[in-house]
Amino acid sequence: MPQPTPQHNDRHWQGRRVWITGGTSGIGWALADALARRGARLALTARSADAIAAAVAGLPGSGHLALPADIADPAALDRALALLRESWGGLDLAILNAGTYVPMRGDAIDLPAAHRLVDVNLKGTISAAAAAIALFLAAGRGHLAVVASVAGYVGLPKALVYGATKAALINFTEALHIDLAGRGIKVQLVCPGFVATPLTDGNDFRMPALLTAEDAAARIVAGLTSRRFEIHFPKRFTLGLKLMRLLPYPVAFRLIHRATGL
Ligand SMILES: NC(=O)c1ccc[n+]([C@@H]2O[C@H](COP(=O)([O-])OP(=O)(O)OC[C@H]3O[C@@H](n4cnc5c(N)ncnc54)[C@H](OP(=O)(O)O)[C@@H]3O)[C@@H](O)[C@H]2O)c1
């Protein structure tokens, strides 16, 4: 499918009300900046109120909103959404991007960290999706994009629980797409490969096909105006991991051991 021209893209985004969770850093911040440059209004959610204030002040355009909340805290999320409804009356697009990563392997499971990964990446994203979907159903239209990861395609070393939360998000988003397609709500899944952000800064291994956050955001923005369900990139990395899912387990496990040295 031909990609929309930048001009078409700008018309599409002019005045759109976009909520981004995790919008103060990395991919979320690059997305907020890219969309604000195209004329969208942004509502940013993260835990740090100071970081949100700085991010909102740094965005081009006007009418942006600061919605501080820990997405794992349902009461805080309710307060943020009440402020969004009061300020904007509704929402055109929710990008559920907030997430956290803690490297973990099977011989050293850190239970508090594991439970926190599930609370933020999975339960927090489900809570944020429910809040956005309520607004979309009331309006009879909307657009939801869930940021999972290629780590959800297949079990990988050092992604013991992180990968499990992302696999669950992929499944959740597929089911949402099926349930909401007939209700005027567009649902998309975003699966990035490695992106250089504070989340991956601490990785002690070579990250193949590493992208900048700006490059990742440009690919996501292009995908959001397409009809594709899944926005995954870079293809030279994601297609290889998709292939792993089709291989017999012994072959896939051997290839993963060999590729990672783990
Ligand atoms: N970087 C990669 O290689 C990569 C690859 C695939 C998928 N992803 C996914 O992409 C998303 C963004 O990752 P990133 O690399 O851009 O990470 P990042 O730079 O660490 O940014 C994470 C953002 O989420 C916010 N956040 C974290 N925990 C939160 C919570 N409990 N409630 C609300 N906000 C929270 C952070 O702000 P506060 O700390 O102030 O809350 C920050 O704005 C994540 O879902 C990640 O899993 C990343």
Side-chain angles (χ1 to χ4, degrees), residues 21-28 45-48 51 69-72 96-101 116 120-121 147-150 162 166 191-200 207 210:
T21 67
T24 57
S25 168
I27 298 169
T45 289
R47 288 164 305 173
S48 163
D70 181 338
I71 62 164
L96 306 184
N97 160 80
T100 184
Y101 168 70
R116 178 71 184 160
V120 175
N121 293 4
V147 180
S149 168
V150 296
Y162 175 79
K166 296 299 185 175
C191 287
F194 286 112
V195 182
T197 70
L199 183 130
T200 50
M207 292 179 269
L210 183 68

Side-chain angles (χ1 to χ4, degrees), residues 33 37 56 59 134 158 180 204 215:
D33 186 56
R37 283 180 197 287
V56 165
L59 284 174
K158 297 203 173 175
L180 299 176
D204 57 0
D215 191 350

Side-chain angles (χ1 to χ4, degrees), residues 32-258:
D33 186 56
L35 294 176
R37 283 180 197 287
R38 289 167 169 77
R41 282 180 286 164
L42 274 300
L44 304 185
T45 289
R47 288 164 305 173
S48 163
D50 289 349
I52 298 185
V56 165
L59 284 174
S62 59
H64 308 304
L65 274 182
L67 301 179
D70 181 338
I71 62 164
D73 175 350
L77 208 48
D78 279 352
R79 285 194 295 277
L81 266 291
L83 181 57
L84 185 144
R85 273 196 307 276
E86 196 181 296
S87 308
W88 283 356
L91 186 64
D92 298 304
L93 165 64
I95 304 176
L96 306 184
N97 160 80
T100 184
Y101 168 70
V102 179
M104 209 178 292
R105 301 209 64 193
D107 57 358
I109 298 178
D110 174 347
L111 268 189
H115 291 171
R116 178 71 184 160
L117 280 165
V118 174
D119 286 345
V120 175
N121 293 4
L122 181 56
K123 291 166 79 175
T125 302
I126 292 172
S127 301
I133 290 166
L135 290 175
F136 295 154
L137 287 174
R141 51 184 283 281
H143 182 181
L144 182 75
V146 176
V147 180
S149 168
V150 296
Y153 287 172
V154 58
L156 294 171
K158 297 203 173 175
L160 188 68
V161 179
Y162 175 79
T165 66
K166 296 299 185 175
L169 280 185
I170 291 172
N171 187 294
F172 173 69
T173 309
E174 289 166 352
L176 275 185
H177 179 82
I178 292 165
D179 285 348
L180 299 176
R183 306 292 298 272
I185 302 174
K186 176 174 172 177
V187 177
Q188 290 180 295
L189 171 69
V190 182
C191 287
F194 286 112
V195 182
T197 70
L199 183 130
T200 50
D201 267 356
N203 282 349
D204 57 0
F205 54 90
R206 191 188 68 81
M207 292 179 269
L210 183 68
L211 299 179
T212 64
E214 290 69 29
D215 191 350
R219 291 164 193 254
I220 295 170
V221 170
L224 288 170
T225 51
S226 78
R227 296 162 68 98
R228 273 174 286 142
F229 167 66
E230 188 187 5
I231 302 165
H232 64 96
F233 55 84
K235 298 275 191 304
R236 62 187 186 281
F237 184 54
T238 58
L239 292 177
L241 282 173
K242 280 179 182 288
L243 179 65
M244 286 302 169
R245 290 193 297 193
L246 305 175
L247 295 173
Y249 276 127
V251 180
F253 291 152
R254 244 192 333 271
L255 286 173
I256 292 167
H257 280 308
R258 196 178 306 158

